[in-house]
Amino acid sequence: MMSEAELLAVVKSQLGNSIKYSNDDFNAVNEKLIDSYNQELYGIEVDGRSQVVSSDHYDMVASAMPPLARIFLGSNKSMSFQPFGEDDKEECRQKTEYAHYLIRGQRDSFKILFDFLKEPGFAKCAVLKFYPEEIRRPEYVSYQGLSEDEMAVVMSDLEGGDKVDSVEVVSHEEREGQRFDVRFKVVKKTKRIAIQNVPVNSFIITRGASSLKDAELVGDVCTKRKGALIAEGFDKKMVRDLPVKGQRDTLEQRRFEDQGGYDPQTGYHWTNDEVEIEYLYPLVDRDEDGIPERLMVVKCADRILEVEPYGIEPYAVMSQIPMPHVLIGKSRGEYAARIQLQRTAVERGLLDNIYSVLRPRMAVDDSAGSIEGGKVDLDDLMTDQIDGIIRVDGSPMDALMPIVTPYRDWE
């Protein structure tokens, strides 16, 4: 059996060959696509010239969403199972209903699916993750004036409640007459099938993978608070010692620009500290029988938190333009961004021409050889004011002449 240190070394080697950590071109393309969609400046702008950016990329994504929403987010079933014969009809009907319930019964299911459909417009792909989730949540119940027998009955009733994992007394104050004020902490454990969006910059997959099944490593990186990890069942002492997450990456920061960015606040209580968790699903021959198996490895920094056989790759990946023999295809945004750059150049040229027509450059007679002694007061000339005056020495026709820029009709 492979030791934990050996497993960690294998996983780190696989991470080094993933698109997230070894393919700067993939990350750069996604950053350029989100900048194009947001109509960010190109960095080649000149002061005093037009800096307009065409909206072709944004318009392409926005126009595609209504028909996609009607098809995939309407009242129809999310998917359907087709029977092979009469005996399969009832089973297929039940499977169809159950699958629809799992997908559309999610909290915020509309937004999850909407984001999945929209993100490929400004990213190379969109990723969904599905997995069984088990959460422990505490609730507090208080009773006043209970006798010891009543306390025992209440404790028994609470322990027998639905989805109750544990019950403990957190406060116990005695009153007169052998009566007590008691507060119970009831921890409930809930299980569900969770579906969530994975940001493209958080997705991990082996470079050159043609499918999820063939990928040597699949996974994602997420940020969680330490308190949330404890609620998932991880050991409190272990979680408290985990390193705090540092600065977010470039694409992650840009996602929150409209909100002023994002800087994690730490120090006010350790349970609110954020840590970076990697959920990895590598193909590893851990039992050394010669056959690699799909594992689930939960990792933080250089520490493995959990390992178990998993068997599947719990992701769905979609690109708008599939390409043969590769998992991640192309985005329509890659082509829209090129058109947007061309249209931007045309629009900027048109606006610069209009500015030049409306505010032409001026030829000035400065034959006296100095600003003070010239025929035109240059301070007046440089003051751009409607109904303003320009002082000249002699006839204005002899001292000033606009340099006419012809208007160009780009239509």
Side-chain angles (χ1 to χ4, degrees):
M1 177 68 72
M2 186 179 293
S3 68
E4 185 173 302
E6 291 173 329
L7 177 61
L8 180 62
V10 170
V11 169
K12 290 177 71 173
S13 175
Q14 292 177 340
L15 282 170
N17 192 38
S18 67
I19 59 172
K20 177 172 176 59
Y21 296 110
S22 66
N23 191 344
D24 292 335
D25 291 340
F26 180 80
N27 299 324
V29 168
N30 288 313
E31 290 180 14
K32 288 180 180 178
L33 286 174
I34 192 67
D35 285 346
S36 174
Y37 175 80
N38 289 332
Q39 298 169 255
E40 301 285 352
L41 297 179
Y42 290 98
I44 57 175
E45 287 72 21
V46 178
D47 289 342
R49 294 296 187 95
S50 171
Q51 298 189 9
V52 68
V53 177
S54 183
S55 62
D56 300 80
H57 192 167
Y58 174 87
D59 294 341
M60 182 273 293
V61 176
S63 63
M65 287 312 299
L68 287 175
R70 280 194 296 269
I71 294 171
F72 294 101
L73 300 175
S75 58
N76 296 328
K77 298 297 182 185
S78 303
M79 63 173 63
S80 63
F81 292 82
Q82 299 300 320
F84 289 106
E86 291 293 327
D87 296 339
D88 300 329
K89 284 188 174 181
E90 181 59 22
E91 179 183 354
C92 289
R93 186 193 67 79
Q94 292 181 14
K95 286 181 176 179
T96 298
E97 294 290 340
Y98 184 57
H100 182 72
Y101 165 76
L102 290 179
I103 295 172
R104 299 305 295 273
Q106 297 286 321
R107 186 191 319 163
D108 299 327
S109 66
F110 181 90
K111 187 176 189 318
I112 291 172
L113 296 175
F114 188 89
D115 291 353
F116 183 60
L117 296 172
K118 185 173 184 177
E119 189 170 19
F122 46 84
K124 294 281 287 183
C125 64
V127 183
L128 277 183
K129 183 179 183 181
F130 50 91
Y131 58 96
E133 183 180 48
E134 184 176 284
I135 297 294
R136 297 165 64 248
R137 287 190 173 89
E139 298 178 0
Y140 294 90
V141 183
S142 299
Y143 290 88
Q144 295 180 343
L146 295 181
S147 66
E148 291 187 358
D149 291 340
E150 290 171 336
M151 283 175 52
V153 172
V154 170
M155 175 76 80
S156 177
D157 288 343
L158 291 175
E159 290 175 340
D162 186 32
K163 301 177 182 178
V164 172
D165 182 58
S166 64
V167 179
E168 63 176 298
V169 177
V170 294
S171 66
H172 182 269
E173 298 180 5
E174 185 174 358
R175 300 172 59 179
E176 295 181 0
Q178 296 295 312
R179 294 284 176 172
F180 303 90
D181 294 340
V182 187
R183 191 173 188 225
F184 297 93
K185 178 182 178 181
V186 182
V187 178
K188 291 189 175 182
K189 183 186 294 185
T190 58
K191 296 180 181 181
R192 70 184 185 104
I193 299 296
I195 301 176
Q196 69 179 38
N197 300 106
V198 176
V200 66
N201 60 297
S202 299
F203 184 52
I204 299 171
I205 191 167
T206 305
R207 290 186 303 167
S210 59
S211 68
L212 288 169
K213 185 177 180 60
D214 295 336
E216 186 179 35
L217 176 68
V218 185
D220 68 281
V221 182
C222 66
T223 300
K224 290 193 174 184
R225 300 191 185 276
K226 291 185 176 181
L229 290 174
I230 295 173
E232 292 179 12
F234 290 102
D235 180 71
K236 177 179 176 181
K237 184 178 184 305
M238 177 190 69
V239 171
R240 187 163 191 167
D241 294 336
L242 294 178
V244 177
K245 176 181 171 66
Q247 190 70 21
R248 296 188 175 220
D249 64 38
T250 305
L251 196 58
E252 203 170 9
Q253 285 284 359
R254 290 181 185 180
R255 194 171 292 122
F256 295 98
E257 280 182 346
D258 291 343
Q259 303 175 32
Y262 181 86
D263 294 315
Q265 301 296 315
T266 61
Y268 52 94
H269 196 274
W270 68 268
T271 56
N272 290 307
D273 288 346
E274 292 185 342
V275 295
E276 187 173 82
I277 302 295
E278 293 172 323
Y279 288 90
L280 308 174
Y281 302 85
L283 273 176
V284 179
D285 180 20
R286 192 187 183 201
D287 55 9
E288 299 180 340
D289 63 352
I291 303 174
E293 58 184 346
R294 188 71 70 182
L295 304 177
M296 181 186 74
V297 178
V298 182
K299 174 177 167 291
C300 179
D302 288 334
R303 184 165 187 175
I304 292 180
L305 309 184
E306 182 181 354
V307 181
E308 65 178 49
Y310 209 75
I312 65 169
E313 307 78 30
Y315 297 94
V317 180
M318 177 179 66
S319 295
Q320 286 185 333
I321 305 176
M323 300 296 291
H325 316 302
V326 295
L327 175 64
I328 299 176
K330 292 184 176 294
S331 167
R332 291 175 63 203
E334 295 179 67
Y335 301 97
R338 297 173 191 172
I339 297 173
Q340 178 167 298
L341 179 59
Q342 296 166 4
R343 289 282 297 272
T344 295
V346 172
E347 290 181 16
R348 287 182 178 182
L350 177 61
L351 290 173
D352 286 338
N353 176 242
I354 293 174
Y355 299 153
S356 298
V357 170
L358 296 178
R359 288 183 169 83
R361 298 179 67 190
M362 301 292 292
V364 179
D365 184 359
D366 192 25
S367 58
S370 67
I371 295 177
E372 292 80 6
K375 294 184 177 182
V376 179
D377 189 313
L378 294 184
D379 288 336
D380 289 350
L381 181 64
M382 297 301 293
T383 301
D384 188 4
Q385 179 181 345
I386 297 177
D387 296 332
I389 62 171
I390 300 176
R391 289 168 288 186
V392 298
D393 183 7
S395 172
M397 302 296 294
D398 298 332
L400 291 170
M401 183 182 72
I403 301 176
V404 178
T405 300
Y407 174 72
R408 295 180 174 85
D409 189 353
W410 295 81
E411 294 297 329

